[in-house]
Amino acid sequence: MIKLAVLIFLGYIAYKILSEAFFGSEEEKPKHRPAGAVKDELVQDPQCGVYIPKSSALKRGDGRYFCSRECLEAWEKRREREG
């Protein structure tokens, strides 16, 4: 009976060592966020239509957000030609 308990214990230790070696430790794994949790709001670039995190977007004075300086400038040039 003791041999069985020791074998189970050694098997568990081997499992922990191998799983940590191949899949990393618990501290390295990203934490699960609940469904619906928002880390950063996404905004749509009016020029190219791509969605980008608000925190990394370029904001224009009128509240529009752009993914890059090129899109912002192209949008402004298009607005100048249109009106």
Side-chain angles (χ1 to χ4, degrees):
M1 185 68 176
I2 293 179
K3 288 182 182 181
L4 180 60
V6 170
L7 284 176
I8 291 172
F9 178 73
L10 290 176
Y12 176 76
I13 297 297
Y15 165 77
K16 291 301 271 184
I17 290 171
L18 291 175
S19 65
E20 197 168 307
F22 287 106
F23 302 112
S25 66
E26 289 295 320
E27 293 83 33
E28 296 172 0
K29 293 181 183 177
K31 301 296 179 200
H32 175 72
R33 289 192 316 243
V38 177
K39 185 175 182 182
D40 197 2
E41 182 181 354
L42 294 178
V43 292
Q44 187 176 21
D45 184 316
Q47 175 64 25
C48 66
V50 71
Y51 285 91
I52 48 175
K54 194 175 193 177
S55 63
S56 64
L58 298 175
K59 184 177 180 184
R60 195 167 178 264
D62 61 359
R64 289 187 171 89
Y65 293 90
F66 296 87
C67 65
S68 66
R69 172 83 40 212
E70 291 80 16
C71 279
L72 184 138
E73 291 171 357
W75 187 84
E76 288 176 341
K77 287 179 185 177
R78 188 176 70 174
R79 291 289 165 217
E80 289 174 5
R81 282 181 277 166
E82 291 177 358

